[in-house]
Amino acid sequence: MQTTFVILKPGTVQRGLIGEVISRFEKKGLQLVGMKMQQLTPEILTEHYSHLRSKPFFQTILSSMMAAPVVLCCWRGMEAVNVVRSMCGATNCREALPGTIRGDFGISIQENVVHTSDSPENAIAEVARFFKPEELFEYSLANQPFLYASDEIN
Ligand code: ADP
């Protein structure tokens, strides 16, 4: 099982789409193992988006990500990183396929509804960056026998 990290961006909070987005992950069969609301700071965003530091749009990402509080969440499931990434769709909402979260709820490159971890290594780093160990929950999912075949998970 993997745990992946998702940010519901300020635009998602402002547009009243929190429930819609979370509902998709729940319906998929992912297990919510951590969730909180937070006002992001330049410090944490500079670390989180360090790979984009040289980009001309870096400052606008920072201000857009601080425009309102965000919802941070962690989702657990088999291959959760790739599953969530493909559910979110391409970075540019105009290119994201219909049926994906960005394809259905956005029309911008930057205001693209969600952030999601792009690799298992980054998921581990991002969960640790935004969540304290005591904010993550280990519990058995009552419907797990109906989500996976008995020989599919160990
Ligand atoms: P992703 O969020 O899909 O992993 P990146 O890590 O490449 O994509 O970019 C991080 C965020 O920076 C994107 O989600 C988006 O908000 C913003 N961004 C990426 N590319 C551009 C761009 N060309 N113009 C404006 N904003 C961008």
Side-chain angles (χ1 to χ4, degrees):
M1 289 285 179
Q2 279 177 348
T3 299
T4 194
F5 172 70
V6 173
I7 304 178
L8 307 191
K9 294 189 175 186
T12 306
V13 173
Q14 291 286 17
R15 294 170 61 207
L17 293 172
I18 296 169
E20 295 265 9
V21 174
I22 286 187
S23 172
R24 293 211 178 191
F25 297 133
E26 286 186 308
K27 286 178 190 160
K28 179 69 176 170
L30 290 155
Q31 181 186 20
L32 185 65
V33 295
M35 181 156 80
K36 62 183 177 181
M37 199 168 191
Q38 191 166 308
Q39 175 63 48
L40 298 181
T41 61
E43 291 73 27
I44 201 161
L45 285 167
T46 301
E47 190 182 318
H48 181 67
Y49 284 127
S50 60
H51 61 294
L52 298 175
R53 221 171 169 155
S54 61
K55 300 282 185 190
F57 51 85
F58 183 69
Q59 284 306 326
T60 54
I61 295 182
L62 260 51
S63 44
S64 140
M65 291 296 289
M66 294 188 294
V70 295
V71 174
L72 307 172
C73 42
C74 300
W75 296 92
R76 191 162 165 76
M78 269 191 99
E79 298 172 39
V81 171
N82 279 340
V83 166
V84 169
R85 192 101 187 140
S86 58
M87 287 176 74
C88 290
T91 303
N92 182 346
C93 296
R94 294 189 291 275
E95 291 170 4
L97 294 177
T100 64
I101 289 167
R102 287 166 170 167
D104 288 352
F105 298 130
I107 197 159
S108 163
I109 303 179
Q110 188 170 298
E111 296 298 327
N112 59 359
V113 189
V114 281
H115 161 81
T116 176
S117 306
D118 63 3
S119 68
E121 300 71 34
N122 281 343
I124 290 167
E126 290 175 358
V127 168
R129 178 175 301 136
F130 288 92
F131 281 83
K132 298 182 186 129
E134 63 268 27
E135 293 173 327
L136 296 169
F137 296 84
E138 283 277 340
Y139 62 101
S140 53
L141 205 53
N143 65 2
Q144 183 157 303
F146 303 97
L147 288 169
Y148 298 99
S150 56
D151 58 358
E152 203 174 8
I153 48 175
N154 41 34

